[in-house]
């Protein structure tokens, strides 16, 4: 059931364009190596996906709550800069 | 329909009948009773919709003996099924009169406010998501573009809660959309995309695809389309279709009970994971 | 109001809300529409998605800035310079509507002389908006017609409020945007019935239907109808009342549905003035800050408890219908006033709200004459509606202006009365946020809305916050020449560096302690709520338990 719920979330996220960023794997406490492998693979996958596109939508008029600040810093992020070059059709920024 | 309602009221089959009444050229929801039976003259089927089943559920809860009649579309019937599954409406005390609605190959003539949505403007087609598109068409956009289009739509939100308030199957006491740890408060638009994703996830297995939310949305966000996708995933994974049959969903995405307080989230998490 | 009246001869939204969808270009200045007039933003989105251009000029970053084709953040109080700069470019490029100007307007020469003084470089250095952006604003507004101009309190609540409005009118006339669908000059009014209150003579200088108190003929008409000789001198504006109270020549104040203790520009000043009164009567739904200090409070019925009409921002007169009997001792406003008047020796005997409406029809026939309760139905009618076969007027000034020709006013930029200096280095502006309404008397008692925004706050740019060593949520003290107050900090880049924003809704963080009552528009008497100079200090953080 948990697996299916996970699949559900993965598909919903994918539908709005945030696919590939959620992963679940059963690992027993004895499988240290598998754990290491899964984490490495997933990290690598995330890296390949590039910066979270959400960062491009951190808007100037947002309240900078601690969690937003943590996600973006106060300076523009790489994603924001990339986005300034117009890689996203719409970000709501001039 | 008028005659049947009259019969029902006079014979006591129902004590109250909920339908739309024409007032100064506008169909408005109205409770017809024996006391105001002359109002029946103004009872209209029409294309205009309102979740009368929400009223019916409330009336039924307030008056444990009352029998309630309802002008019901197909979506109304589906909503009643869902409400009954979650013990929100006593369907044994609710009688329905079927209205002509959703078109089908067998039934060409249909009457529903949703049938001719205004055509999406060019800008929206270019940067946003056409409300008339189907989920497959949206899925064909490349992921970054898909995300950007959804974010264009979500950022228009003015947090009016119209989508939730009109929804016939939204009945939780404590709404996760108002949960401060899930969605930050005090700013417009509400945090995107989490506000809309939380609502989408909570509609899984519940949304009966009536489209009222989308009609109510002042920002014309294609909400129905999003929830349609959510339910398609549910159908795929769990072989379950909301509003059909009498089985409760074989899964529970939103927690043990629908009104359960969601657990606070960790900082930095952008999506409802549990 | 005064600015619109000077330009056109009548003051109200010239077009309709639905009409905004037809615009080719929408220019929003000084209005955070999604937060303050959310359902008007629906029209803006629709127009935008259809392909209309959107220009947003606001000192702050607002939700609509995200969707704008041109979004500029001009310095506080530089609206006139911005508009003049745009018009300079429009005239120079020949984008103005020469036919409209010659046939429908006068005073163009006066305007063009002034515009000569606003070449792009100067306008840019005054406003902080780049020359390129200025040109884009001008080009969009002038060439994607019909262009609708929308503004709200960000334009009016300045010492130069009337000038700002006149400049808006200038711009619209310059491009021939008056009297056409999708165009117009559209002040968005904040309250459901503020237009109606003005229409009914809720201004010191006019009777219902904007008939001047100083006109002997008008006065004779009203004196005859009301069987009482009426005074020939206009009354006091609220801005004049406060000094009059302080001087002791105004002894009693009767406040209906207002909360001046929060909404008036200078809290300390007003506080003393109210103390000086012999009698303060407040008629309110709830015990507002002002009602708490009143000698007598009349409980008023809420909208669901009474019959009557409201006239909304688009001049649409709409019926309200009683749904429940008033709770407790509450009475409809008209009943309270009638009883009070009768007790004071002038019997007012109306049987119903409709009877009063019939009197309105008679006394303000040009605008309300053709309306009856039956005709209003659910949709209402838009004034002017002079006769019962008239279907109301969605767009004003299609043929002529009430004053004949539209008048251009040459308006020069004047700096706000108070600018930041060494002692008070920050510019403060005030405004509204979406979850609350005005002074919060009605919204802050709602659990849901309180959950949305429970306290006041002050928005600070992250760089200023870093300089002051203030983190999100830290309490800060703001002080101006008039007083000081505290509020938790909200860190956001929606305000420019050096500028602070305070929402006005919160009685425990009253913004009007800081703003000034001495600076107001000389004509409209609207105080400068939108600019004040303040100092910011970090307060020690209280440890949370
Ligand atoms: S379509 Fe919208 S309103 Fe209808 S059930 Fe689904 S979520 Fe609720
Ligand atoms: S109805 Fe539309 S604008 Fe209102 S809260 Fe829902 S999504 Fe947002």
């Amino acid at each position: 059931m948990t697996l299916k719920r996970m699949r559900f979330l993965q598909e919903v996220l994918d539908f709005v364009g945030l696919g590939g960023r959620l992963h679940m794997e059963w690992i027993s406490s004895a499988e240290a190596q598998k754990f290491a492998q899964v984490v490495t693979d997933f990290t690598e996958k995330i890296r390949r996906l590039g910066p979270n596109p959400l960062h491009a939508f951190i808007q100037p008029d947002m309240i900078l709550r601690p969690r937003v600040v943590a996600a973006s810093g106060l300076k523009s992020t790489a994603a924001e800069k990339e986005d300034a070059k117009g890689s996203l059709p719409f970000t709501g920024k001039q | 329909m008028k005659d049947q309602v009259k019969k029902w009221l006079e014979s006591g089959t129902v004590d109250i009948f909920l339908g739309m009444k024409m007032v100064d050229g506008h169909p408005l929801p109205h409770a017809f009773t024996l006391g105001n039976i002359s109002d029946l003259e103004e009872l209209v089927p029409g294309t205009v919709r309102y979740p009368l089943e929400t009223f019916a559920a409330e009336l039924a809860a307030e008056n444990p003996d009352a029998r309630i009649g309802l002008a019901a579309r197909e979506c109304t019937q589906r909503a009643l099924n869902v409400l009954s599954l979650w013990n929100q409406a006593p369907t044994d005390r609710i009688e329905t009169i079927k209205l002509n609605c959703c078109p089908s190959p067998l039934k060409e003539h249909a009457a529903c406010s949703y049938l001719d949505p205004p055509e999406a403007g060019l800008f929206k087609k270019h940067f946003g998501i056409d409300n008339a598109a189907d989920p497959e068409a949206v899925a064909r956009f490349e992921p970054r573009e898909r995300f950007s289009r959804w974010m264009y739509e979500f950022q228009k939100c003015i947090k009016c809660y119209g989508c939730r308030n009109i929804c016939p199957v939204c009945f939780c006491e404590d709404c996760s959309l108002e949960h401060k740890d899930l969605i930050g408060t005090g700013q417009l638009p509400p945090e995107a995309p989490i506000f809309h994703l939380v609502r989408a996830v909570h509609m899984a297995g519940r949304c009966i695809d009536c489209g009222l939310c989308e009609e109510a949305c002042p920002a014309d966000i294609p909400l129905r389309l999003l929830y349609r996708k959510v339910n398609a995933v549910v159908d795929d994974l769990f072989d379950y279709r909301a509003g059909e049959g009498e089985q409760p969903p074989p899964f529970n995405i939103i927690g043990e009970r629908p009104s359960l307080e969601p657990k606070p989230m960790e900082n930095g998490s952008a999506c409802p994971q549990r | 109001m005064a600015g619109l009246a000077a330009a056109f001869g009548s003051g109200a939204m010239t077009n309709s809300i639905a009409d905004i969808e037809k615009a080719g270009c929408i220019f929003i200045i000084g209005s955070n529409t999604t937060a303050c007039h959310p359902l008007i933003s629906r029209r803006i989105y629709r127009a935008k998605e259809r392909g209309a251009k959107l220009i947003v000029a606001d000192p702050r970053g607002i939700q609509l800035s995200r969707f704008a084709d041109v979004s500029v953040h001009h310095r506080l109080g530089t609206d006139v310079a911005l508009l003049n700069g745009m018009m300079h470019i429009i005239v120079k490029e020949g984008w103005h509507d020469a036919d409209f100007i010659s046939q429908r307007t006068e005073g163009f020469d006066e305007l063009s002389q002034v515009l000569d003084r606003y070449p792009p470089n100067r306008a840019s250095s005054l406003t902080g908006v780049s020359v390129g952006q200025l040109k884009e604003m001008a080009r969009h507004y002038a060439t994607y017609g019909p262009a609708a101009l929308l503004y709200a309190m960000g334009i009016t609540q300045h010492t130069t409020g009337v000038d700002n409005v006149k400049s808006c009118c200038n711009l619209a006339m310059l491009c021939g945007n008056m009297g056409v669908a999708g165009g117009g000059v559209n002040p968005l009014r904040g309250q459901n019935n503020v237009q109606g209150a003005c229409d009914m003579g809720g201004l010191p200088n006019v009777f219902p239907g904007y008939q001047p108190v100083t006109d002997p003929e008008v006065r004779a008409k009203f004196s005859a109808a009301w069987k009482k000789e009426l005074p020939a001198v206009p009354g006091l504006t609220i801005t004049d009342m406060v000094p009059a109270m302080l001087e002791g020549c105004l002894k009693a104040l009767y406040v209906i549905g207002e909360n001046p203790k929060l909404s008036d520009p200078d809290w300390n000043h007003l506080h003393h003035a109210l103390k000086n009164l012999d009698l303060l009567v407040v008629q309110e739904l709830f015990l507002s800050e002002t009602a708490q200090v009143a000698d007598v409070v009349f409980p008023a019925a809420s909208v669901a408890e009474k019959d009557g009409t409201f006239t909304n921002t688009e001049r649409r007169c709409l019926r309200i219908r009683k749904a429940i009997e008033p709770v407790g001792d509450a009475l409809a406003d008209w009943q309270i006033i009638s009883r009070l008047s009768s007790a004071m020796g002038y019997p007012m005997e109306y049987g119903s709200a409709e009877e009063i409406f019939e009197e309105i029809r008679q006394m303000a026939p040009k605008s309300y004459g053709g309306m009856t309760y039956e005709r209003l139905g659910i949709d209402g009618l838009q004034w002017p509606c002079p006769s019962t076969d008239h279907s109301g007027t969605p767009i004003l000034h299609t043929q002529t202006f009430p004053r004949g020709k539209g008048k251009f006013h040459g308006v020069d930029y004047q700096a706000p009365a108070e600018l930041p200096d060494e002692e008070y280095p920050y510019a403060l502006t005030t405004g509204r946020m979406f979850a609350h309404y005005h002074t919060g008397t009605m919204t802050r008692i709602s659990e849901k809305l309180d959950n949305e925004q429970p306290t006041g706050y002050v928005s600070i740019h992250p760089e200023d916050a870093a300089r002051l060593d203030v983190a999100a949520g830290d309490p800060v003290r703001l002080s101006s020449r008039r007083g000081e107050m505290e509020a938790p900090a909200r860190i956001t880049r929606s305000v420019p560096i050096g500028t602070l924003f305070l929402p006005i809704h919160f009685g425990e963080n009253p913004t009007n302690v800081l703003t000034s009552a001495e600076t107001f528009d000389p004509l409209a008497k609207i105080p400068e709520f939108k600019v004040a100079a303040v100092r910011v200090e970090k307060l020690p953080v209280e440890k949370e338990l």
Side-chain angles (χ1 to χ4, degrees):
Chain A
M1 186 53 63
T2 312
L3 207 69
K4 280 192 172 180
R5 279 199 221 168
M6 216 56 182
R7 277 275 308 285
F8 167 81
L9 279 178
Q10 284 167 335
E11 293 217 14
V12 172
L13 288 176
D14 187 48
F15 186 62
V16 294
L18 288 171
R21 291 174 189 271
L22 185 63
H23 185 84
M24 193 181 73
E25 191 97 25
W26 297 111
I27 305 174
S28 101
S29 54
E31 298 174 298
Q33 239 179 348
K34 184 176 177 195
F35 178 74
Q37 190 57 45
V38 166
V39 172
T40 321
D41 288 353
F42 190 54
T43 320
E44 186 45 40
K45 183 179 173 202
I46 293 288
R47 200 173 321 234
R48 259 184 285 117
L49 281 173
N52 184 350
L54 194 54
H55 288 186
F57 289 88
I58 290 184
Q59 300 287 359
D61 58 347
M62 275 167 76
I63 308 169
L64 297 179
R65 290 197 172 78
R67 75 170 181 235
V68 178
V69 176
S72 76
L74 294 179
K75 298 264 152 20
S76 348
T77 61
E80 278 182 79
K81 283 193 193 118
E82 186 180 328
D83 157 67
K85 285 183 262 150
S87 82
L88 288 174
F90 176 87
T91 64
K93 278 184 216 157
Q94 295 292 310
Chain B
M1 182 159 86
K2 287 176 192 164
D3 293 336
Q4 173 149 24
V5 176
K6 196 165 176 208
K7 240 184 261 162
W8 273 9
L9 285 171
E10 280 169 354
S11 66
T13 313
V14 300
D15 306 308
I16 304 168
F17 185 84
L18 300 175
M20 306 299 267
K21 178 185 158 196
M22 194 58 102
V23 182
D24 292 333
H26 291 268
L28 302 178
H30 187 71
F32 299 89
T33 57
L34 263 188
N36 64 16
I37 202 147
S38 60
D39 286 358
L40 274 179
E41 284 309 308
E42 311 287 334
L43 174 67
V44 284
T47 56
V48 179
R49 301 185 299 156
Y50 199 84
L52 296 170
E53 54 275 29
T54 314
F55 285 151
E58 265 175 42
L59 280 172
E62 278 170 22
N63 312 286
D65 302 319
R67 302 189 56 83
I68 297 160
L70 202 56
R73 300 168 173 279
E74 284 169 30
C75 50
T76 315
Q77 195 54 57
R78 293 197 299 273
L80 280 173
N81 291 350
V82 171
L83 290 174
S84 150
L85 274 181
W86 295 99
N87 293 324
Q88 299 294 320
T91 26
D92 51 332
R93 288 195 280 128
I94 297 178
E95 298 288 335
T96 55
I97 295 183
K98 302 233 168 350
L99 292 180
N100 173 30
C101 64
C102 308
S104 75
L106 297 176
K107 187 178 69 171
E108 277 168 26
H109 175 72
C112 174
S113 55
Y114 200 89
L115 288 178
D116 311 291
E119 211 203 327
L122 271 183
F123 186 87
K124 187 173 167 95
K125 281 192 176 148
H126 202 73
F127 292 105
I129 289 176
D130 187 344
N131 293 28
D134 52 30
E136 290 77 51
V138 174
R140 279 197 293 275
F141 293 122
E142 162 287 310
R144 279 178 73 83
E145 173 169 356
R146 199 152 73 224
F147 183 66
S148 151
R149 285 176 179 267
W150 276 114
M151 285 299 279
Y152 163 77
E153 297 290 345
F154 294 156
Q155 289 188 78
K156 291 187 292 181
C157 179
I158 55 172
K159 210 173 187 181
C160 65
Y161 289 116
C163 47
R164 177 197 69 186
N165 293 353
I166 196 88
C167 178
V169 295
C170 262
F171 46 76
C172 302
E173 276 294 314
D174 295 314
C175 179
S176 300
L177 296 178
E178 291 169 24
H179 197 291
K180 286 193 171 188
D181 293 322
L182 275 176
I183 296 157
T185 56
Q187 71 174 347
L188 278 185
E191 285 181 320
I194 179 126
F195 181 87
H196 294 89
L197 289 184
V198 166
R199 179 153 154 78
V201 168
H202 284 221
M203 287 339 277
R206 260 211 286 182
C207 169
I208 47 88
D209 197 29
C210 63
L212 281 169
C213 48
E214 197 174 299
E215 274 184 21
C217 178
D220 293 330
I221 302 172
L223 300 166
R224 184 186 191 184
L225 174 60
L226 179 63
Y227 308 149
R228 221 182 235 178
K229 172 67 185 183
V230 168
N231 267 348
V233 178
V234 167
D235 191 4
D236 263 7
L237 290 173
F238 302 93
D239 193 22
Y240 181 80
R241 286 159 298 278
E244 285 178 20
E246 277 150 36
Q247 289 302 308
F251 64 96
N252 215 329
I253 281 162
I254 53 179
E256 300 311 308
R257 287 248 66 85
S259 56
L260 209 71
E261 280 255 309
K263 295 190 202 99
M265 290 198 340
E266 297 298 319
N267 278 348
S269 168
C271 306
Q273 302 161 3
R274 57 184 64 238
Chain C
M1 278 287 312
L4 280 168
F8 306 141
S10 93
M13 197 163 153
T14 63
N15 289 49
S16 308
I17 295 171
D19 199 62
I20 295 170
E21 277 185 38
K22 303 193 189 109
C25 173
I26 300 174
F27 178 23
I28 300 172
I29 180 165
S31 156
N32 186 0
T33 320
T34 53
C36 305
H37 302 91
L39 288 180
I40 292 181
S41 51
R42 173 195 190 98
R43 308 293 177 174
I44 299 170
Y45 288 144
R46 287 225 165 138
K48 169 81 196 154
E49 296 191 336
R50 224 202 48 238
K53 300 292 173 188
L54 181 62
I55 312 171
V56 178
D58 200 295
R60 295 191 297 142
I62 56 175
Q63 189 178 5
L64 281 176
S65 310
R66 301 178 183 196
F67 302 98
D69 295 277
V70 192
S71 158
V72 301
H73 306 299
H74 54 302
R75 283 193 197 105
L76 289 179
T78 60
D79 307 85
V80 168
L82 184 75
L83 293 163
N84 280 350
M86 277 174 79
M87 286 187 273
H88 179 102
I89 297 168
I90 290 172
V91 174
K92 200 153 142 229
E93 297 285 343
W95 290 328
H96 55 292
D97 184 338
D99 289 345
F100 186 90
I101 294 171
S102 65
Q103 283 158 23
R104 301 265 326 253
T105 67
E106 60 193 26
F108 181 62
D109 294 340
E110 184 195 336
L111 175 72
S112 35
Q113 276 167 20
V114 173
L115 293 186
D116 284 346
R117 297 198 282 276
Y118 292 84
N121 283 335
R122 175 159 183 252
S124 168
S125 66
L126 288 172
T127 57
V129 173
S130 74
V131 172
Q133 281 179 317
L134 267 174
K135 285 194 172 146
E136 279 302 278
M137 289 173 79
R139 185 175 68 83
H140 277 85
Y141 182 83
T143 61
Y144 289 101
L149 200 159
L150 272 53
Y151 67 82
M153 306 273 207
I155 280 292
T156 51
Q157 285 183 345
H158 286 283
T159 44
T160 56
V162 170
D163 286 352
N164 291 353
V165 175
K166 283 179 182 164
S167 293
C168 290
C169 300
N170 285 345
L171 177 63
M173 288 192 290
L174 186 69
C175 297
N177 276 323
M178 298 308 301
V180 291
V185 176
N186 301 295
L188 307 179
R189 316 298 293 258
Q191 278 143 334
N192 54 346
N193 197 27
V194 61
Q195 184 70 50
C198 293
D199 294 352
M200 287 310 106
L203 296 166
N205 57 341
V206 289
F207 290 118
Y210 304 100
Q211 304 174 68
V213 167
T214 45
D215 181 334
E217 233 169 83
V218 169
R219 214 163 51 239
K221 176 174 117 181
F222 279 90
S223 297
W226 292 344
K227 303 193 182 65
K228 194 91 192 166
E229 198 48 45
L230 295 166
V233 267
L236 299 178
T237 62
I238 178 138
T239 312
D240 292 327
M241 284 182 199
V242 179
M245 288 190 257
L246 285 169
E247 277 165 32
C249 51
L250 186 68
K251 294 189 190 321
L253 190 68
Y254 181 11
V255 179
I256 304 179
E258 268 227 14
N259 188 8
K261 277 206 91 168
L262 272 197
S263 61
D264 223 60
D266 187 336
W267 190 89
N268 284 316
H269 201 198
L270 182 86
H271 186 70
H272 287 119
L274 291 180
K275 275 196 175 158
N276 228 8
L277 287 172
D278 293 344
L279 176 69
L280 175 61
V281 183
V282 175
Q283 187 163 317
E284 252 296 352
L285 304 188
F286 303 106
L287 207 58
S288 67
E289 281 81 359
T290 313
Q292 283 166 23
V293 298
D295 300 293
V296 182
V297 179
F298 293 142
S302 71
V303 55
E305 302 166 331
K306 61 185 177 191
D307 284 313
T309 60
F310 289 148
T311 304
N312 74 3
T313 183
E314 56 170 359
R315 298 170 278 107
R316 189 183 294 277
C317 181
L318 294 155
R319 272 187 71 187
I320 52 164
R321 294 167 171 84
K322 190 196 247 179
I324 55 167
E325 287 303 317
V327 174
D329 292 334
L331 287 174
D333 291 307
W334 66 268
Q335 287 168 314
I336 300 176
I337 296 170
S338 301
R339 283 199 195 184
L340 183 69
S341 166
S342 305
M344 289 173 73
Y346 179 83
M348 270 193 202
E349 278 148 7
Y350 296 103
S352 66
E354 189 171 1
E355 248 175 62
I356 301 175
F357 193 76
E358 288 301 313
E359 183 177 317
I360 295 170
R361 290 182 57 199
Q362 275 169 30
M363 302 310 290
K366 278 194 197 138
S367 33
Y368 284 86
M371 300 184 192
T372 63
Y373 265 30
E374 197 180 323
R375 285 197 74 206
L376 289 180
I378 285 184
D379 292 325
L381 283 165
Q382 284 172 287
W383 64 252
C385 175
S387 60
T388 46
D389 55 5
H390 191 287
S391 56
T393 312
I395 303 174
L396 292 180
H397 319 317
T398 46
Q399 303 302 326
T400 56
F401 293 100
R403 69 180 295 284
K405 287 195 166 185
K407 183 158 172 44
F408 283 111
H409 292 84
V411 180
D412 251 314
Y413 164 70
Q414 283 170 0
E418 193 177 73
L419 286 170
D421 52 24
E422 255 171 47
E423 204 183 344
Y424 296 98
Y426 288 88
L428 170 79
T429 187
T430 66
R432 285 133 231 269
M433 59 96 54
F434 74 100
H436 291 291
Y437 183 68
H438 293 293
T439 63
T441 38
M442 289 179 278
T443 51
R444 293 200 63 205
I445 54 177
S446 149
E447 194 192 323
K448 303 253 169 190
L449 294 174
D450 186 57
N451 177 55
E452 192 66 42
Q453 186 61 50
T455 63
Y457 58 86
V458 51
S459 299
I460 304 181
H461 189 278
E463 286 187 27
D464 289 329
R467 195 171 319 120
L468 294 158
D469 191 24
V470 170
D474 285 356
V476 295
R477 178 186 293 133
L478 306 182
S479 28
S480 77
R481 290 190 172 78
R482 290 151 298 271
E484 56 178 50
M485 53 89 73
E486 291 166 17
R490 171 182 280 191
I491 319 267
T492 161
R493 278 180 282 178
S494 68
V495 284
I497 297 175
T499 301
L500 309 172
F501 170 79
L502 271 178
I504 62 165
H505 316 289
F506 305 93
E508 67 279 16
N509 318 103
T511 56
N512 55 349
V513 169
L514 302 173
T515 46
S516 166
E518 268 133 46
T519 54
F520 46 81
D521 188 282
L523 201 61
K525 300 285 168 74
I526 297 182
E528 180 121 85
F529 281 107
K530 296 290 182 190
V531 200
V534 293
R535 187 169 57 215
V536 189
E537 290 151 284
K538 183 184 177 183
L539 290 172
V541 183
E542 284 166 39
K543 282 253 157 36
E544 266 185 53
L545 294 176

